[in-house]
Amino acid sequence: MKAEYEKLIENVTNDDNKNYSVAELLDRLMKDDSWEPDPMRRMKTIISLKIKFDNA
Amino acid sequence: MKDAALFNQRIKNIVDTCEHKEPEKVPVGLDYINWPWAMAGTTLEEEVNDPVQCAEKYCTFMNEIDIDFSMNAGNYETFDAFAALGSDKYPLCADRCTTQHNQVGYEFISDEEYQFLIDEFHYFKNEYWPKRNIPVFQKPEEEAYAMLKEAAKCVRNNTIFKELITEIAIRDHSIVPFDSAGASAMAALKARGEFDQGEVDERLIYDDFPGGFFISNLDVLFDSYRGMMGIFEDLIEQPEMITAAIEAMDRDQAEEFKKMPPRPKKPMHALPPATNIYNIECFLSPSQFDEYFFSGIKPKLTALAEQGKKIYLKGEGKIKHLLPFLKELPKESLIIQIDDDDIFEMKKLIGDYHSICCGMDSALYAIGDYQRCIDYVKKSFDELAPGGGFLFYQNKPLFSPSDADPQLVKDVMAFAHEYAVKK
């Protein structure tokens, strides 16, 4: 990653969020059947949720 | 459950008109998004946490208004999911039914970030952009995860709601859905033995797998990352940045597609149609349209059309200047919803090459004068229906409950159904 991009990433990173990635949270959500037992529906929901990140 | 024969007859009317054979009855549709709450006696906000009840209440209006086909039914934006993510970009309006897109304070990408997007699109989209914009991803892991899970439940409820209203539309009202939700609803109804078309002619089979949804990466770049002002500046001052960004997005999308399950190898049928939406394309010059969108999409749409699939095209604005391109696609493959263009002029220009979907100006619903509505509807049928290629529909959807008086919609739709029958 170029240094100027590292600088941009630093601007959105703080002590609270520096130890996890969004991808890790989504992986965890995919494996978590407490909110939705059907794995297919979990997958479809997460795809829809990710699309919403574009405009949130 | 209504008789499947009505569903099949409605498909026959749609397919006939798309093939420029005058149907027994011109298909009469309604574009209604959040408007049905006007007849539900409740609000989306009240019902949203119970998707089953939410769907039942939303569909109440179908008992009073007959509809042959629909598009975009119930496509509410998940205001509750955005709230769970800490985002203020999609709040509910005062009517508690309509979601608005709040772009106040929206910070599109800087020039520095533009190059970052181009060089590292996958990381930019999936890690940088969410942490930059979504408040929940500024929080510690466990708190962020709990809020993300809440947002996921809201999105799941929205998916269930959409599935249920589409199933109710098909099973209980014989409505032919034009959106891809119709395909999965048909598959679910068949699997549960709740609806089946029975023995029908091959050309009338309603597919239980989606035809595809096509939106350009230029639209995504404009809508999510660069904004309208940014994109128009780029088109003049740095078009090479747009090209590079679209290429980066295309590459990432191709990688994502490789991870998806393969499409079923089944013969395709006309309906439900594939969908192609134009947003910024309405504002492009013909050469820009070709360069940034059409040359890339044409082979895909042509391949679908050659397999018999119809393609529903909606341009959110004027598309008259793009008609020469649309005539490069196979004849009778498009169902074009006319938005801001003059419908009578468009009919003359399109002729019998594609079909048009129009005939009611939504602004007339807002004015509320029954006779003006009926005069317009009559003129539409008289001038557009002869020879086929016409589906009756609005130019713009009814977004909110206040967009039209329920009695007026009932009266106009009743008139349209009666006038639509071949004399």
Side-chain angles (χ1 to χ4, degrees), chain A residues 8-42:
Chain A
L8 286 169
I9 295 165
E10 266 177 38
N11 292 342
V12 300
T13 307
N14 59 35
D15 285 345
D16 286 336
N17 73 3
K18 67 182 179 190
N19 291 324
Y20 68 85
S21 70
V22 175
E24 283 165 0
L25 292 188
L26 290 170
D27 274 350
R28 196 172 149 192
L29 198 60
M30 183 61 215
K31 291 172 186 144
D32 180 352
D33 62 5
S34 69
W35 66 276
E36 171 53 58
D38 178 354
M40 183 59 81
R41 177 158 276 153
R42 278 207 300 278

Side-chain angles (χ1 to χ4, degrees), chain B residues 146-346:
Chain B
M147 292 169 80
L148 184 65
K149 193 151 91 170
E150 275 313 299
K153 286 182 198 168
C154 299
V155 173
R156 178 207 51 198
N157 285 352
N158 172 267
T159 309
I160 295 171
F161 166 78
K162 178 78 182 170
E163 287 168 2
L164 291 175
I165 62 167
T166 312
E167 289 176 16
I168 292 169
I170 295 173
R171 183 190 60 217
D172 300 342
H173 301 279
S174 302
I175 297 171
V176 180
F178 269 20
D179 39 1
S180 59
S184 43
M186 180 61 85
L189 289 169
K190 274 192 206 167
R192 297 200 302 267
E194 293 179 20
F195 190 88
D196 200 301
Q197 284 188 270
E199 287 293 312
V200 283
D201 189 282
E202 180 76 14
R203 67 197 272 274
L204 306 186
I205 292 173
Y206 187 91
D207 287 334
D208 54 11
F209 56 96
F213 182 86
F214 299 90
I215 187 163
S216 73
N217 276 331
L218 178 63
D219 250 341
V220 178
L221 185 66
F222 138 75
D223 200 30
S224 303
Y225 303 125
R226 194 65 177 147
M228 185 168 263
M229 292 302 290
I231 282 286
F232 285 132
E233 281 174 20
D234 297 341
L235 284 167
I236 297 164
E237 290 170 9
Q238 46 177 4
E240 70 285 355
M241 292 293 277
I242 295 183
T243 305
I246 290 173
E247 285 172 0
M249 295 162 86
D250 284 347
R251 280 194 300 275
D252 186 64
Q253 221 162 39
E255 289 302 313
E256 291 296 310
F257 275 138
K258 284 182 196 165
K259 298 176 197 162
M260 304 287 277
R263 286 183 69 90
K265 289 196 183 345
K266 289 162 65 170
M268 278 198 184
H269 302 87
L271 301 175
T275 307
N276 187 195
I277 304 290
Y278 294 176
N279 288 313
I280 195 168
E281 286 80 3
C282 300
F283 303 97
L284 298 180
S285 71
S287 63
Q288 289 167 336
F289 176 75
D290 194 30
E291 180 179 354
Y292 296 116
F293 178 66
F294 192 71
S295 58
I297 200 85
K298 183 180 167 186
K300 295 174 191 161
L301 296 182
T302 301
L304 277 176
E306 285 175 351
Q307 292 176 74
K309 183 59 75 189
K310 300 296 176 201
I311 299 150
Y312 173 90
L313 167 63
K314 162 127 182 158
E316 296 185 340
K318 294 187 176 180
I319 58 166
K320 185 177 85 171
H321 61 299
L322 307 176
L323 284 180
F325 294 99
L326 304 184
K327 287 192 174 181
E328 291 178 23
L329 294 170
K331 191 169 185 290
E332 296 177 334
S333 58
L334 297 183
I335 302 169
I336 306 171
Q337 183 177 358
I338 312 290
D339 189 323
D340 279 340
D341 290 295
D342 182 296
I343 59 176
F344 305 106
E345 184 187 10
M346 288 293 272

Side-chain angles (χ1 to χ4, degrees), chain A residues 1-2 4-37 40-56, chain B residues 77-78 81-82 85 87 89-90 101 106 112-113 115-116 119-120 123 125-134 136-142 144-145 148-149 151-153 155-156 159-160 163 184 220 223-225 256 260:
Chain A
M1 194 86 71
K2 288 182 187 171
E4 58 262 41
Y5 303 154
E6 298 286 1
K7 182 80 188 145
L8 286 169
I9 295 165
E10 266 177 38
N11 292 342
V12 300
T13 307
N14 59 35
D15 285 345
D16 286 336
N17 73 3
K18 67 182 179 190
N19 291 324
Y20 68 85
S21 70
V22 175
E24 283 165 0
L25 292 188
L26 290 170
D27 274 350
R28 196 172 149 192
L29 198 60
M30 183 61 215
K31 291 172 186 144
D32 180 352
D33 62 5
S34 69
W35 66 276
E36 171 53 58
M40 183 59 81
R41 177 158 276 153
R42 278 207 300 278
M43 187 185 75
K44 283 165 77 173
T45 300
I46 290 169
I47 290 170
S48 300
L49 185 61
K50 279 175 70 175
I51 292 169
K52 294 182 190 304
F53 290 174
D54 284 348
N55 289 319
Chain B
E77 190 46 272
T78 48
F82 284 98
L85 293 170
S87 167
K89 295 299 181 288
Y90 285 93
H101 188 181
Y106 201 98
E112 217 178 359
E113 290 176 309
Q115 196 59 53
F116 186 17
D119 289 345
E120 304 283 348
Y123 183 88
K125 175 186 167 63
N126 295 296
E127 290 296 334
Y128 175 75
W129 191 248
K131 280 193 174 172
R132 175 194 187 272
N133 293 325
I134 305 176
V136 69
F137 297 126
Q138 289 293 308
K139 296 190 178 292
E141 182 168 0
E142 289 312 310
Y145 184 71
L148 184 65
K149 193 151 91 170
K153 286 182 198 168
V155 173
R156 178 207 51 198
T159 309
I160 295 171
E163 287 168 2
S184 43
V220 178
D223 200 30
S224 303
Y225 303 125
E256 291 296 310
M260 304 287 277

